[in-house]
C-alpha cells in the first residue's frame, strides 16, 4: 500500500486526461549526481532523463514533454543559467518547473538565476528528502499551470481548441509548412440549419449536437492535425495534405458519417443533422488570413449550392467530382 501512495507522486494527466509518468530531466556533468538523483526519483515513480551538459539537456527538452527540469549551475557547453533561459523562452505557458542545483549561496547569484527562469534552488551536496520535497512541490505547481493553460485553450462546451488557441496553432503550422514545404489544408465545418435545430429542439439539445459533432470529428483527426471551434456551429480542422486525395477522403468520411449521427434528447426523441465543408490548401495562399478567407468562400459555396457537401477551393472554376466540388 505504501508503494502505491508514493508512486502517485510520479503520475501526471496529459492533455487528453490520461495518466502518464511525470518526466524529470536531470542535467549535471557529474555522473555521480546524475545517478544519485535518477535512483532516488525512479524509486518513487518518476520517469527520469539524464543529460551530461546543457546542450544535451536542451535537445532532450525540445524532444520530450518535460514536467520538471533539475539542472546544475556550472556545466560545459551551456551553463545552468543559459539552459534555464532557453527553456523559459520556449515555455511561455510555464509547463516546466525548473530547479537549479548550486553550492553558491550568494544573493546576487540567486537573483540572476531567478531572472534567468529558475523556479527553485537545491543546495549541493544534495539532501535527498529535500530533493523529493522540491520535486513534489514542482509537480503540484506544474500541474496547476497546465490545468489553467488547458482551460484557457479549450472551448468550454465542446472540449476542442477554442478559436484563439486554434488560430495560434494554425499560425505556427502555416509557418512550418512554408518553411519545410510540407503542405497542409484546412476544412471548415458548419452544421446545416443549426438555427432550426435550436428552434425545434431547444438550445440545450443544440448544445448536445455541437458536442456530439465535436467528439465525432475529434476522433477522426489525423496525426499532425488539430481541431478547433471557431464559434457558434462552425469548426475548423487543420490536417496534413501531402496526399490530397487522402485528405479529401478523410474529410468526406467525416461528412458522410456525421449524417448518420443521432442526438438523443431528454424526452427520448432523437434527431440528426448534416454538415457543409469548405476546404483550402495552403499552397495557393500567402497568409493564414488568406487561407481562412478562401476556405470560408468554399464553405459559403457549399451551403449556397445545397448543403451537406464538401467544396475544395481551387483555381479552375467549379467542377463536380463525385460527392464533393472543386471551386
Amino acid at each position: 500500500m505504501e508503494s502505491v501512495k508514493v508512486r502517485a507522486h510520479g503520475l501526471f494527466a496529459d492533455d487528453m486526461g490520461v495518466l502518464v509518468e511525470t518526466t524529470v530531466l536531470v542535467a549535471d556533468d557529474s555522473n555521480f549526481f546524475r545517478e544519485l538523483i535518477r535512483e532516488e526519483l525512479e524509486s518513487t515513480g518518476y520517469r527520469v532523463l539524464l543529460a551530461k551538459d546543457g546542450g544535451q539537456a536542451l535537445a532532450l527538452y525540445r524532444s520530450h514533454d518535460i514536467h520538471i527540469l533539475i539542472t546544475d549551475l556550472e556545466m560545459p557547453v551551456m551553463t545552468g543559467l543559459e539552459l534555464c533561459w532557453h527553456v523559459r523562452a520556449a515555455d511561455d505557458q510555464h509547463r516546466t518547473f525548473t530547479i537549479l542545483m548550486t553550492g553558491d549561496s550568494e544573493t546576487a547569484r540567486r537573483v540572476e538565476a531567478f531572472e534567468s527562469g529558475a523556479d527553485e534552488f537545491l543546495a549541493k551536496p544534495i539532501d535527498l528528502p529535500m530533493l523529493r520535497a522540491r520535486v513534489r512541490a514542482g509537480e503540484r505547481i506544474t500541474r496547476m499551470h497546465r490545468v489553467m493553460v488547458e482551460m484557457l485553450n479549450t472551448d468550454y462546451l465542446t472540449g476542442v481548441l477554442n478559436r484563439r488557441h486554434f488560430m495560434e496553432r494554425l499560425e505556427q503550422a502555416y509557418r512550418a509548412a512554408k518553411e519545410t514545404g510540407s503542405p497542409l489544408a484546412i476544412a471548415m465545418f458548419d452544421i446545416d440549419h443549426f438555427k432550426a435545430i435550436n428552434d425545434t429542439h431547444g438550445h440545450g439539445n443544440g448544445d448536445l449536437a455541437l458536442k456530439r459533432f465535436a467528439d465525432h470529428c475529434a476522433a477522426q483527426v489525423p496525426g499532425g492535425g488539430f481541431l478547433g471551434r471557431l464559434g457558434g456551429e462552425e469548426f475548423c480542422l487543420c490536417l496534413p495534405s501531402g496526399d490530397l486525395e487522402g485528405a479529401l477522403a478523410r474529410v468526406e468520411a467525416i461528412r458522410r458519417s456525421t449524417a448518420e449521427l443521432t442526438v438523443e434528447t431528454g424526452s427520448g426523441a432523437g434527431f440528426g443533422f448534416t454538415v457543409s465543408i469548405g476546404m483550402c490548401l495552403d499552397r495557393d495562399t500567402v497568409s493564414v488570413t488568406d487561407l481562412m478567407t478562401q476556405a470560408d468562400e468554399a464553405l459559403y459555396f457549399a451551403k449556397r449550392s445545397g448543403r451537406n457537401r464538401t467544396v475544395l477551393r481551387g483555381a479552375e472554376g467549379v467542377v463536380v467530382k463525385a460527392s464533393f466540388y472543386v471551386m
Side-chain angles (χ1 to χ4, degrees):
M1 182 63 69
E2 181 62 27
S3 62
V4 173
K5 290 180 180 178
V6 172
R7 187 168 176 76
H9 291 304
L11 295 178
F12 211 101
D14 66 8
D15 292 340
M16 300 299 293
V18 178
L19 287 178
V20 297
E21 289 179 303
T22 301
T23 301
V24 181
L25 172 58
V26 179
D28 198 309
D29 57 337
S30 166
N31 182 65
F32 171 78
F33 281 115
R34 289 199 307 271
E35 288 301 318
L36 177 70
I37 296 172
R38 181 188 64 78
E39 291 177 6
E40 178 64 25
L41 295 183
E42 284 186 346
S43 70
T44 52
Y46 294 96
R47 177 185 180 223
V48 181
L49 302 178
L50 302 178
K52 62 183 180 181
D53 58 55
Q56 189 179 85
L58 186 59
L60 285 169
Y61 170 79
R62 288 172 172 167
S63 60
H64 295 77
D65 184 15
I66 303 299
H67 301 98
I68 299 169
L69 167 65
I70 303 175
T71 177
D72 191 23
L73 177 61
E74 300 296 340
M75 293 185 295
V77 182
M78 182 184 297
T79 69
L81 291 181
E82 292 172 321
L83 176 60
C84 287
W85 186 88
H86 281 288
V87 167
R88 195 57 63 226
D91 183 27
D92 59 345
Q93 297 178 337
H94 212 116
R95 294 171 58 86
T96 301
F97 188 86
T98 303
I99 302 172
L100 190 68
M101 297 184 294
T102 177
D104 194 337
S105 60
E106 290 185 12
T107 300
R109 191 67 160 164
R110 296 200 169 197
V111 169
E112 183 183 8
F114 279 128
E115 291 178 344
S116 297
D119 295 301
E120 186 56 274
F121 285 93
L122 186 65
K124 280 189 169 183
I126 295 173
D127 182 309
L128 293 181
M130 184 58 71
L131 168 68
R132 292 194 299 270
R134 291 281 194 272
V135 170
R136 287 197 294 268
E139 189 177 20
R140 289 193 299 269
I141 292 171
T142 302
R143 181 182 290 114
M144 178 185 67
H145 283 157
R146 291 183 178 223
V147 168
M148 292 175 63
V149 167
E150 187 69 16
M151 292 174 64
L152 288 172
N153 291 341
T154 303
D155 177 63
Y156 76 98
L157 178 64
T158 62
V160 301
L161 301 181
N162 59 25
R163 183 186 183 94
R164 177 191 58 78
H165 192 50
F166 177 84
M167 294 305 298
E168 289 176 353
R169 290 276 302 273
L170 184 58
E171 287 280 1
Q172 296 169 358
Y174 188 86
R175 286 196 301 270
K178 293 301 185 184
E179 291 170 359
T180 64
S182 302
L184 63 79
I186 62 169
M188 296 181 69
F189 300 82
D190 190 284
I191 296 178
D192 295 325
H193 303 295
F194 189 69
K195 183 178 183 301
I197 291 176
N198 281 334
D199 291 345
T200 303
H201 302 285
H203 288 273
N205 288 317
D207 287 348
L208 288 179
L210 293 172
K211 289 189 283 190
R212 187 87 166 85
F213 173 73
D215 290 344
H216 177 70
C217 191
Q220 301 181 64
V221 174
F226 50 93
L227 174 70
R229 182 186 178 197
L230 300 183
E233 67 273 25
E234 194 168 87
F235 296 79
C236 193
L237 170 64
C238 177
L239 68 165
S241 65
D243 174 12
L244 177 57
E245 292 296 326
L248 279 167
R250 183 178 294 272
V251 170
E252 268 293 282
I254 294 174
R255 183 189 65 80
R256 290 194 301 269
S257 56
T258 295
E260 300 173 359
L261 298 177
T262 299
V263 177
E264 300 293 337
T265 68
S267 63
F271 66 90
F273 57 89
T274 61
V275 291
S276 297
I277 307 170
M279 282 189 71
C280 183
L281 308 178
D282 74 303
R283 67 188 181 194
D284 298 319
T285 64
V286 296
S287 67
V288 167
T289 299
D290 187 26
L291 179 69
M292 294 291 288
T293 298
Q294 292 196 37
D296 193 53
E297 290 173 356
L299 176 60
Y300 177 73
F301 185 90
K303 298 187 78 69
R304 186 181 60 187
S305 60
R307 295 184 172 84
N308 189 23
R309 63 193 60 196
T310 299
V311 172
L312 172 66
R313 183 68 160 78
E316 301 179 355
V318 179
V319 180
V320 177
K321 184 177 181 184
S323 56
F324 57 84
Y325 294 75
V326 179
M327 287 183 67

